[in-house]
Amino acid sequence: KQEVTQIPAALSVPEGENLVLNCSFTDSAIYNLQWFRQDPGKGLTSLLLIQSSQREQTSGRLNASLDKSSGRSTLYIAASQPGDSATYLCAVRGNTPLVFGKGTRLSVIA
Amino acid sequence: NAGVTQTPKFQVLKTGQSMTLQCAQDMNHEYMSWYRQDPGMGLRLIHYSVGAGITDQGEVPNGYNVSRSTTEDFPLRLLSAAPSQTSVYFCASWSSGGGTYEQYFGPGTRLTVT
């Protein structure tokens, strides 16, 4: 059974700092990995999707990498801003629809 | 496009009552799914559908029924609500077109069972 772990569970950083969120998964037989953002009381917004054949994807200040063989992904956020404060979720798609980690709650302090 | 829509946004039920959570998408996606989100548990898959008339169970299907009669709609039925079904429910849809399988989520339904 696929299990997805996100470390750390919570993170607080000063504005402007670069930061890395980690995601690991137990079964490397995945088709893709997706990073989401969730604001309190809101739905999920897709940030980046990496296919299993890809190593990384970039969107603006965000860069996600994937090492399928070691079961790891990282989400790099450059020059963090208070508006980046949210919960970030990692999810993998294998034989069933997405299996989610429990998320990293990020606070960026002005 | 409205994307993925869910109704209602909030609902309070008494134990034993039944109700249907509605989900619709206007992107012509063949795949749809339901998740529930609970504190400390993350999002867990309840049921999913790979096309009209085809559904399958996820990780936590007990107490829930689904059917998919059209491409656009994927309702989730609670037959006899229990306090353990208090949760936030999210519907998602995606397509194999282009090979991305990127999932799009609705805004959620917050359900309380007393």
Side-chain angles (χ1 to χ4, degrees):
Chain A
K1 178 187 169 187
Q2 178 74 270
E3 292 183 3
V4 179
T5 303
Q6 291 188 245
I7 294 173
L11 182 63
S12 183
V13 300
E15 181 178 7
E17 193 160 298
N18 302 326
L19 57 100
V20 174
L21 308 181
N22 296 294
C23 171
S24 62
F25 46 95
T26 55
D27 185 351
S28 61
I30 65 168
Y31 295 108
N32 61 41
L33 182 146
Q34 205 166 342
W35 283 93
F36 295 89
R37 169 187 172 136
Q38 186 176 30
D39 293 290
K42 302 294 185 183
L44 281 69
T45 300
S46 179
L47 297 174
L48 289 165
L49 180 143
I50 311 177
Q51 302 296 346
S52 61
S53 58
Q54 297 175 320
R55 298 285 292 181
E56 65 179 295
Q57 281 283 352
T58 298
S59 176
R61 294 182 294 108
L62 305 179
N63 176 276
S65 68
L66 174 64
D67 184 342
K68 198 175 97 158
S69 61
S70 67
R72 298 195 305 184
S73 176
T74 61
L75 179 66
Y76 175 83
I77 303 177
S80 58
Q81 303 170 357
D84 294 330
S85 297
T87 296
Y88 291 80
L89 297 164
C90 164
V92 297
R93 188 178 76 85
N95 289 326
T96 60
L98 298 174
V99 176
F100 282 83
K102 294 180 181 178
T104 294
R105 190 172 65 253
L106 173 67
S107 296
V108 181
I109 311 301
Chain B
N1 285 355
V4 181
T5 58
Q6 293 183 238
T7 56
K9 285 186 168 50
F10 302 93
Q11 183 71 48
V12 179
L13 288 179
K14 291 188 183 336
T15 297
Q17 287 184 318
S18 63
M19 80 159 295
T20 299
L21 280 62
Q22 301 291 345
C23 175
Q25 53 93 7
D26 61 359
M27 297 174 281
N28 201 32
H29 287 170
E30 62 265 44
Y31 300 92
M32 297 184 75
S33 59
W34 278 101
Y35 298 85
R36 59 178 288 174
Q37 185 175 36
D38 302 291
M41 300 294 293
L43 280 95
R44 293 177 293 169
L45 181 67
I46 304 172
H47 286 286
Y48 64 102
S49 171
V50 300
I54 307 170
T55 63
D56 205 348
Q57 296 181 349
E59 182 184 356
V60 288
N62 292 340
Y64 307 95
N65 271 6
V66 293
S67 61
R68 182 113 178 261
S69 55
T70 68
T71 300
E72 295 78 18
D73 301 297
F74 191 41
L76 179 71
R77 283 182 288 276
L78 283 70
L79 301 176
S80 178
S84 61
Q85 294 178 304
T86 294
S87 188
V88 182
Y89 291 84
F90 289 102
C91 178
S93 75
W94 69 103
S95 172
S96 59
T100 64
Y101 294 85
E102 183 173 7
Q103 293 203 19
Y104 298 87
F105 280 75
T109 293
R110 189 173 297 272
L111 176 67
T112 301
V113 183
T114 61

